[in-house]
Amino acid sequence: MEARYAQALLAMVEAGTTPHEAVAKLAAVLKAKGKESLLPRIAHAVQIFGAKAQKAQAILEVADQAQAKHAAHASGVAHARIVENKTLIGGWRVFDGSTLKDATFKRHLKNIYSHVIA
């Protein structure tokens, strides 16, 4: 039961309600139903769902923000957290769970080099 309340709480926040307002509304509903004792278990469920959602979100690394739009399109990742990585000369990398797609300039140069010396 607390999992459904936690999902509803997260859905309210994703829809634009501030976390403070969402928790206040949930607390009012629980109080009206006499189920205030569920709040700690709901809070725990929210932490678990939040951690899972954070893991599920892909991370797109780009050299600078100017390349972010092109990298998002080229990588094929619809929703990713964009991180600027100054160590990249150009290109992009996507970390999606346990998968890495590397389309950096360095990776392309290494591939060319390995084909030339082979």
Side-chain angles (χ1 to χ4, degrees), residues 12-114:
M12 288 171 58
V13 172
E14 287 176 1
T17 306
T18 66
H20 186 310
E21 291 174 14
V23 170
K25 288 178 183 179
L26 177 64
V29 168
L30 290 174
K31 186 175 181 178
K33 292 183 177 186
K35 297 183 179 185
E36 292 170 298
S37 63
L38 287 177
L39 273 174
R41 294 193 327 223
I42 294 169
H44 182 70
V46 166
Q47 288 177 333
I48 291 170
F49 288 136
K52 286 181 182 178
Q54 190 75 347
K55 282 183 181 178
Q57 186 179 28
I59 299 171
L60 175 62
E61 285 187 341
V62 293
D64 58 39
Q65 291 297 324
Q67 297 178 7
K69 186 174 181 179
H70 170 72
H73 178 71
S75 67
V77 177
H79 301 287
R81 184 168 52 108
I82 298 173
V83 176
E84 194 170 320
N85 183 344
K86 292 293 185 184
T87 64
L88 298 178
I89 297 168
W92 49 269
R93 274 193 295 223
V94 174
F95 300 98
D96 190 10
S98 61
T99 310
L100 168 66
K101 291 182 188 176
D102 191 343
T104 58
F105 289 0
K106 181 178 180 179
R107 171 60 45 207
H108 290 306
L109 289 172
K110 282 184 173 183
N111 288 343
I112 291 169
Y113 177 76
S114 66

